[in-house]
Amino acid sequence: VFAFPTVPVGHEDVYALVLAGAILGGGQNSRLYKSIVYKAQLATAAYSYHYALAKDGMFALGANLIPGKSVKSLKPLFDQE
């Protein structure tokens, strides 16, 4: 999982981050799933989400790697999307 700090609950950007999480990693038709699971065949699942707390938040990108595949191979694909 790669994670980045974001905004807290109640911030006006929370809704945009939730939407970005759904577009990037919300199911088998998402950008990450198509890129990492279907095209690159590095993982069995790929996901992203925003998690907001009282003082700050986190945007996460992740994947369930196929055994023998490297985590290092995910970063360029995450950066691309």
Side-chain angles (χ1 to χ4, degrees), residues 8-79:
V9 169
H11 191 280
E12 63 184 20
D13 291 341
V14 166
Y15 301 108
L17 289 162
V18 170
L19 181 59
I23 292 169
L24 285 173
Q28 294 180 354
N29 286 321
S30 69
R31 294 178 60 98
L32 289 176
Y33 199 96
K34 288 178 181 179
S35 174
I36 294 168
V37 177
Y38 291 137
K39 291 179 185 174
Q41 297 183 350
L42 294 173
T44 58
Y47 51 87
S48 66
Y49 58 90
H50 181 254
Y51 186 69
L53 297 170
K55 292 186 178 182
D56 55 13
M58 171 186 73
F59 191 85
L61 305 164
N64 299 342
L65 287 176
I66 293 172
K69 301 294 182 179
S70 170
V71 172
K72 291 180 183 179
S73 60
L74 288 177
K75 185 161 180 0
L77 295 173
F78 285 150
D79 289 344

